[in-house]
PDB file of all heavy atoms in Angstrom:
ATOM      1  N   PRO A1018      -2.935 -68.725   1.876  1.00 96.00           N
ATOM      2  CA  PRO A1018      -3.275 -69.531   0.699  1.00 96.00           C
ATOM      3  C   PRO A1018      -4.722 -69.393   0.246  1.00 96.00           C
ATOM      4  O   PRO A1018      -5.011 -69.328  -0.950  1.00 96.00           O
ATOM      5  CB  PRO A1018      -3.021 -70.946   1.172  1.00 96.00           C
ATOM      6  CG  PRO A1018      -2.070 -70.838   2.324  1.00 96.00           C
ATOM      7  CD  PRO A1018      -2.359 -69.546   2.971  1.00 96.00           C
ATOM      8  N   VAL A1019      -5.625 -69.241   1.195  1.00 97.00           N
ATOM      9  CA  VAL A1019      -7.061 -69.078   0.865  1.00 97.00           C
ATOM     10  C   VAL A1019      -7.233 -67.760   0.115  1.00 97.00           C
ATOM     11  O   VAL A1019      -7.937 -67.634  -0.932  1.00 97.00           O
ATOM     12  CB  VAL A1019      -7.948 -69.082   2.085  1.00 97.00           C
ATOM     13  CG1 VAL A1019      -9.392 -68.858   1.776  1.00 97.00           C
ATOM     14  CG2 VAL A1019      -7.789 -70.424   2.806  1.00 97.00           C
ATOM     15  N   ALA A1020      -6.551 -66.716   0.626  1.00 97.00           N
ATOM     16  CA  ALA A1020      -6.677 -65.394   0.002  1.00 97.00           C
ATOM     17  C   ALA A1020      -6.108 -65.375  -1.402  1.00 97.00           C
ATOM     18  O   ALA A1020      -6.714 -64.867  -2.352  1.00 97.00           O
ATOM     19  CB  ALA A1020      -5.943 -64.320   0.830  1.00 97.00           C
ATOM     20  N   VAL A1021      -4.981 -66.094  -1.610  1.00 98.00           N
ATOM     21  CA  VAL A1021      -4.403 -66.224  -2.965  1.00 98.00           C
ATOM     22  C   VAL A1021      -5.312 -66.950  -3.835  1.00 98.00           C
ATOM     23  O   VAL A1021      -5.621 -66.536  -4.999  1.00 98.00           O
ATOM     24  CB  VAL A1021      -2.999 -66.875  -2.891  1.00 98.00           C
ATOM     25  CG1 VAL A1021      -2.488 -67.158  -4.308  1.00 98.00           C
ATOM     26  CG2 VAL A1021      -2.008 -66.051  -2.073  1.00 98.00           C
ATOM     27  N   ALA A1022      -5.830 -68.087  -3.346  1.00 98.00           N
ATOM     28  CA  ALA A1022      -6.767 -68.894  -4.161  1.00 98.00           C
ATOM     29  C   ALA A1022      -7.990 -68.047  -4.567  1.00 98.00           C
ATOM     30  O   ALA A1022      -8.461 -68.120  -5.642  1.00 98.00           O
ATOM     31  CB  ALA A1022      -7.186 -70.153  -3.385  1.00 98.00           C
ATOM     32  N   GLY A1023      -8.512 -67.294  -3.565  1.00 98.00           N
ATOM     33  CA  GLY A1023      -9.662 -66.432  -3.849  1.00 98.00           C
ATOM     34  C   GLY A1023      -9.375 -65.391  -4.924  1.00 98.00           C
ATOM     35  O   GLY A1023     -10.214 -65.225  -5.816  1.00 98.00           O
ATOM     36  N   GLY A1024      -8.209 -64.798  -4.859  1.00 98.00           N
ATOM     37  CA  GLY A1024      -7.819 -63.834  -5.902  1.00 98.00           C
ATOM     38  C   GLY A1024      -7.766 -64.482  -7.280  1.00 98.00           C
ATOM     39  O   GLY A1024      -8.291 -63.979  -8.266  1.00 98.00           O
ATOM     40  N   LEU A1025      -7.080 -65.677  -7.313  1.00 98.00           N
ATOM     41  CA  LEU A1025      -6.944 -66.348  -8.613  1.00 98.00           C
ATOM     42  C   LEU A1025      -8.323 -66.800  -9.129  1.00 98.00           C
ATOM     43  O   LEU A1025      -8.577 -66.680 -10.336  1.00 98.00           O
ATOM     44  CB  LEU A1025      -6.008 -67.577  -8.421  1.00 98.00           C
ATOM     45  CG  LEU A1025      -4.572 -67.288  -8.107  1.00 98.00           C
ATOM     46  CD1 LEU A1025      -3.789 -68.595  -7.987  1.00 98.00           C
ATOM     47  CD2 LEU A1025      -3.945 -66.338  -9.106  1.00 98.00           C
ATOM     48  N   ALA A1026      -9.171 -67.271  -8.198  1.00 98.00           N
ATOM     49  CA  ALA A1026     -10.497 -67.762  -8.606  1.00 98.00           C
ATOM     50  C   ALA A1026     -11.334 -66.583  -9.159  1.00 98.00           C
ATOM     51  O   ALA A1026     -12.050 -66.765 -10.128  1.00 98.00           O
ATOM     52  CB  ALA A1026     -11.211 -68.383  -7.428  1.00 98.00           C
ATOM     53  N   THR A1027     -11.176 -65.390  -8.605  1.00 98.00           N
ATOM     54  CA  THR A1027     -11.868 -64.224  -9.112  1.00 98.00           C
ATOM     55  C   THR A1027     -11.424 -63.973 -10.551  1.00 98.00           C
ATOM     56  O   THR A1027     -12.256 -63.746 -11.457  1.00 98.00           O
ATOM     57  CB  THR A1027     -11.540 -63.005  -8.275  1.00 98.00           C
ATOM     58  OG1 THR A1027     -11.731 -63.314  -6.907  1.00 98.00           O
ATOM     59  CG2 THR A1027     -12.397 -61.834  -8.645  1.00 98.00           C
ATOM     60  N   GLY A1028     -10.115 -64.024 -10.778  1.00 98.00           N
ATOM     61  CA  GLY A1028      -9.566 -63.830 -12.131  1.00 98.00           C
ATOM     62  C   GLY A1028     -10.129 -64.887 -13.026  1.00 98.00           C
ATOM     63  O   GLY A1028     -10.570 -64.571 -14.127  1.00 98.00           O
ATOM     64  N   LEU A1029     -10.107 -66.105 -12.623  1.00 98.00           N
ATOM     65  CA  LEU A1029     -10.598 -67.225 -13.452  1.00 98.00           C
ATOM     66  C   LEU A1029     -12.058 -67.014 -13.813  1.00 98.00           C
ATOM     67  O   LEU A1029     -12.440 -67.181 -14.978  1.00 98.00           O
ATOM     68  CB  LEU A1029     -10.395 -68.562 -12.734  1.00 98.00           C
ATOM     69  CG  LEU A1029     -10.987 -69.790 -13.436  1.00 98.00           C
ATOM     70  CD1 LEU A1029     -10.217 -70.082 -14.747  1.00 98.00           C
ATOM     71  CD2 LEU A1029     -10.904 -71.051 -12.533  1.00 98.00           C
ATOM     72  N   ALA A1030     -12.847 -66.593 -12.826  1.00 98.00           N
ATOM     73  CA  ALA A1030     -14.272 -66.447 -13.091  1.00 98.00           C
ATOM     74  C   ALA A1030     -14.538 -65.392 -14.154  1.00 98.00           C
ATOM     75  O   ALA A1030     -15.295 -65.630 -15.089  1.00 98.00           O
ATOM     76  CB  ALA A1030     -14.983 -66.025 -11.763  1.00 98.00           C
ATOM     77  N   PHE A1031     -13.830 -64.231 -14.068  1.00 98.00           N
ATOM     78  CA  PHE A1031     -14.033 -63.226 -15.060  1.00 98.00           C
ATOM     79  C   PHE A1031     -13.456 -63.612 -16.411  1.00 98.00           C
ATOM     80  O   PHE A1031     -14.026 -63.312 -17.436  1.00 98.00           O
ATOM     81  CB  PHE A1031     -13.442 -61.880 -14.593  1.00 98.00           C
ATOM     82  CG  PHE A1031     -14.270 -61.207 -13.559  1.00 98.00           C
ATOM     83  CD1 PHE A1031     -13.803 -60.999 -12.257  1.00 98.00           C
ATOM     84  CD2 PHE A1031     -15.551 -60.758 -13.795  1.00 98.00           C
ATOM     85  CE1 PHE A1031     -14.590 -60.440 -11.257  1.00 98.00           C
ATOM     86  CE2 PHE A1031     -16.350 -60.175 -12.884  1.00 98.00           C
ATOM     87  CZ  PHE A1031     -15.863 -59.991 -11.565  1.00 98.00           C
TER      88      PHE A1031
END
Side-chain angles (χ1 to χ4, degrees):
Chain A
V1019 177
V1021 173
L1025 295 181
T1027 310
L1029 175 66
F1031 285 114

